[in-house]
Amino acid sequence: MIPLSSIRKEQKQEKQIIIDLNCDLGQSFGVYKNDQELELLKYVSSVNISCGSHAGDPVTIMNMLKLASENNLSVGAHIGYPDIQGFGYRNMSLNEEELQALVVYQIGALNSLAKLYNLTVEYVRPHGAMYVQAAKDFKTSLGIAKSIAK
C-alpha cells in the first residue's frame, strides 16, 4: 500500500474565468436612432442584434454587423414579436406554424446579412414579450427551440 503522503498532488492550475458581457444592439428603426448603444461596444464580447420585428431594419442590421465584425464580437439573433410600435413588449398569441415562421424568418435574415461580413449567428435571444412568454409557457419555449433547430 502506498501512503497518501507520498502521492504527489497535481499542481494547482489557475482557473481561467471567462465572462461574456453582452448587450442588445440595432434597436433603431428608420429615422428613430439609438446611437447610445454604440458606446457599449468597447465593453462587451457579444451582441444581440435586433432582427427587424421589434426593432431594427435592414440598413441598421448591416451597420451593426459591420461594427460587430470590426470589434471582433460574437453575434446573436435578437428575435421578437412583430411589434414595432410596442417595441416587442406586447404579447401575441401565435400558433406553432406562425411562431416557427417568425423565428426562422428573423434568424434567416440576420444570418444572410452576417455572411456579408464573414460572421456567423452563434446564438438566439428572444426579446421582450416573446422572452417572458417563453419563460412562462413551455409550449412557446419548445416552439422557439424547434424553430432554431430547423
Side-chain angles (χ1 to χ4, degrees):
M1 181 181 273
I2 301 172
L4 290 176
S5 60
S6 67
I7 298 174
R8 287 185 74 185
K9 294 183 179 177
E10 289 184 33
Q11 293 228 338
K12 285 190 174 182
Q13 295 180 357
E14 282 189 38
K15 291 184 180 180
Q16 187 177 17
I17 297 174
I18 299 172
I19 298 173
D20 173 33
L21 290 178
N22 170 284
C23 75
D24 297 344
L25 198 61
Q27 306 265 42
S28 299
F29 188 84
V31 298
Y32 303 102
K33 302 293 182 197
N34 179 12
D35 292 336
Q36 292 174 328
E37 65 190 9
L38 302 180
E39 296 298 318
L40 298 171
L41 293 182
K42 55 189 165 195
Y43 303 108
V44 300
S45 49
S46 64
V47 289
N48 313 318
I49 298 181
S50 299
C51 296
S53 282
H54 73 279
D57 58 60
V59 172
T60 298
I61 293 168
M62 285 178 58
N63 289 335
M64 296 307 110
L65 287 164
K66 182 178 183 221
L67 287 170
S69 177
E70 291 170 354
N71 289 278
N72 197 31
L73 301 172
S74 297
V75 171
H78 199 33
I79 62 173
Y81 289 131
D83 177 28
I84 292 285
Q85 293 84 358
F87 195 59
Y89 289 127
R90 295 185 285 194
N91 198 21
M92 297 183 82
S93 180
L94 304 178
N95 66 37
E96 188 175 338
E97 180 182 36
E98 292 168 327
L99 181 61
Q100 178 184 341
L102 182 62
V103 170
V104 171
Y105 174 80
Q106 290 179 78
I107 296 168
L110 183 63
N111 203 36
S112 292
L113 292 170
K115 289 179 182 181
L116 296 172
Y117 303 97
N118 296 315
L119 293 171
T120 303
V121 176
E122 298 183 27
Y123 60 92
V124 177
R125 185 202 180 282
H127 169 83
M130 183 184 281
Y131 179 89
V132 171
Q133 190 170 354
K136 292 179 178 179
D137 177 41
F138 180 75
K139 187 176 176 184
T140 301
S141 59
L142 183 61
I144 292 169
K146 284 181 177 180
S147 301
I148 293 166
K150 290 184 179 190

